[in-house]
């Protein structure tokens, strides 16, 4: 029998604002059938007959955009059939402006033990510019309230290389993030996704984005400053105090399987990568009819190997040659020796014993390096 996944991702597609740079699957919450959506979501979750999870992650959208009682319904029903002693990490994403005392009380009595807060920047002007509705003070208020409620495992997301952002402003953001005294930080460079307000502005030449050189300088500064302050740069965009890595995200980068539940959610179960239906009305109807999936892809061995590179090389610890050989039954050296030597000569990869990992330069270029492992 195939081993069942021990991780699950649950998608809440509602937001109280629509940010200009956002390409996630989400809708403005007003007038949406939130209760019906949550019921359908639980129905889909239960269809997998899940009892043993190591990590559970609720993302969005904005999970905390729903009301306190809806949040209670969601958290209670997701965990009612689980053996909670096995659930190592249960994360929920939240936005600073949404965390009312009622919602924090619901989180506190639930099994949630990790909060990922969408801070993005501490600069009020930039927050407005990217379409966020919270302000700097609300960030501090939310972190204080969460700490008071006993949540120590808090992560924040920050975005750098924002339009018009200077190096000094990046330095200020990093200093303010460090002052929060939390164990985990994710830092993303602003990626201009299609179909966003930002992309349209960019096309019309109205976005003054930092040059690539300045962006690289910002990335270097962030890494150096965080490492100086006891953080480990364990994945391209993620930094952790010792032992506080996101176990759920590590699961993705280890290329493990997981359930994905909710409108537009992706999952990976029994060697099949699938994506659920969107928009919400289509998802509701599909769950009603007993199959939420829009598409399924049975991965070939080649595709699995490519994914192993794309995901594994994002981690600082890289890829183990032995693990790769055992998993795919081939000689690593024979198949990839030449490509690896080339990338090592270019200063993008380094080999240490059994492990192959990115250099600093390689990490900055990210997927461009992993692409070299795709054989035509
Ligand atoms: S960035 Fe987050 S809060 Fe903003 S629209 Fe996208 S999902 Fe919603």
């Amino acid at each position: 029998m195939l081993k069942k996944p021990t991780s699950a991702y649950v998608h809440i597609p509602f937001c109280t604002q629509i940010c200009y740079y956002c390409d996630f699957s989400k809708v403005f919450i007003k007038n949406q059938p939130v209760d019906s959506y949550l019921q359908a979501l639980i129905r889909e979750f239960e269809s997998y007959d899940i009892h043993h999870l190591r990590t559970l992650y609720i993302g969005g959208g904005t999970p905390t955009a729903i009301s306190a009682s809806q949040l209670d319904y969601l958290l209670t029903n997701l965990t009612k059939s689980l053996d909670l002693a096995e659930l190592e990490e249960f994360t929920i994403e939240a936005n600073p402006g949404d965390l009312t005392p009622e919602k924090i009380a619901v989180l506190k009595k639930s099994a949630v033990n990790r909060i990922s807060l969408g801070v993005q920047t501490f600069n009020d002007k930039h927050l407005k510019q990217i379409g966020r509705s919270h302000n700097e003070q609300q960030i501090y208020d939310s972190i204080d309230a969460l700490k008071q409620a006993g949540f120590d495992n808090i992560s924040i997301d920050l975005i750098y290389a924002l339009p018009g952002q200077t190096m000094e402003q990046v330095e200020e953001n990093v200093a303010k993030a460090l002052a929060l005294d939390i164990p985990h930080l994710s830092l993303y460079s602003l990626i201009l996704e299609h179909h966003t307000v930002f992309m349209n502005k960019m096309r019309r030449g109205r976005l003054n984005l930092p040059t690539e050189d300045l962006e690289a300088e910002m990335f270097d500064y962030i890494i150096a400053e965080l490492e100086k302050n006891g953080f480990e740069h364990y994945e391209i965009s993620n930094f952790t105090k010792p032992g506080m890595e996101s176990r759920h995200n590590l699961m993705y980068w280890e290329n493990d399987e997981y359930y994905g539940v909710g409108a537009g959610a992706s999952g990976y179960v029994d060697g099949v990568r699938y994506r659920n239906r969107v928009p919400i009305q289509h998802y509701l109807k599909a769950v009603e009819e007993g199959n939420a999936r829009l598409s399924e892809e049975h991965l070939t061995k080649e595709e699995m190997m490519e994914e192993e590179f794309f995901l594994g090389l994002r981690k600082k610890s890289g890829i183990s040659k032995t693990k790769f050989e055992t998993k795919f039954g081939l000689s690593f050296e024979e198949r990839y020796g030449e490509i690896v030597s080339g990338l090592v000569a270019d200063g993008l990869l380094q080999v240490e014993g059994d492990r192959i990992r990115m250099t600093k330069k390689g990490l900055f270029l990210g997927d461009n390096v992993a692409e070299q492992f795709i054989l035509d």
Side-chain angles (χ1 to χ4, degrees), residues 255 257-258 265-276 291 293-307:
N255 203 7
E257 297 200 340
Y258 62 97
S266 305
Y268 185 25
V269 180
D270 294 344
V272 176
R273 288 219 181 256
Y274 65 86
R275 190 170 149 81
N276 278 352
N291 181 9
R293 296 183 185 181
L294 168 69
S295 59
E296 289 186 346
E297 194 188 348
H298 293 260
L299 295 184
T300 62
K301 188 169 148 192
E302 284 297 312
E303 288 166 334
M304 286 183 189
M305 292 187 331
E306 284 167 12
E307 288 191 344

Side-chain angles (χ1 to χ4, degrees), residues 9 11 13 15 21-27 60-61 93 157 193 196:
Y9 172 79
H11 191 70
C15 288
Y21 58 89
C22 179
D23 193 32
F24 293 124
S25 173
K26 53 32 180 92
V27 290
E93 290 179 356
D157 282 358
E193 299 287 358
T196 62

Side-chain angles (χ1 to χ4, degrees), residues 14-15 17-19 21-24 26 60-62 95 120 132:
F14 309 110
C15 288
Q17 77 224 339
I18 299 299
C19 303
Y21 58 89
C22 179
D23 193 32
F24 293 124
K26 53 32 180 92
T62 313
N95 273 348
Q120 318 312 353
R132 304 292 297 205

Side-chain angles (χ1 to χ4, degrees), residues 171-186:
E171 288 170 14
E172 200 182 317
N173 268 309
V174 172
K176 286 180 175 173
L178 285 169
L180 296 178
D181 192 22
I182 52 173
H184 191 280
L185 301 164
S186 303

Side-chain angles (χ1 to χ4, degrees), residues 66-80:
I66 61 178
S67 73
S69 59
Q70 288 165 337
L71 194 60
D72 195 17
Y73 170 86
L74 174 68
L75 300 177
T76 309
N77 281 286
L78 285 176
T79 49
K80 71 174 187 240

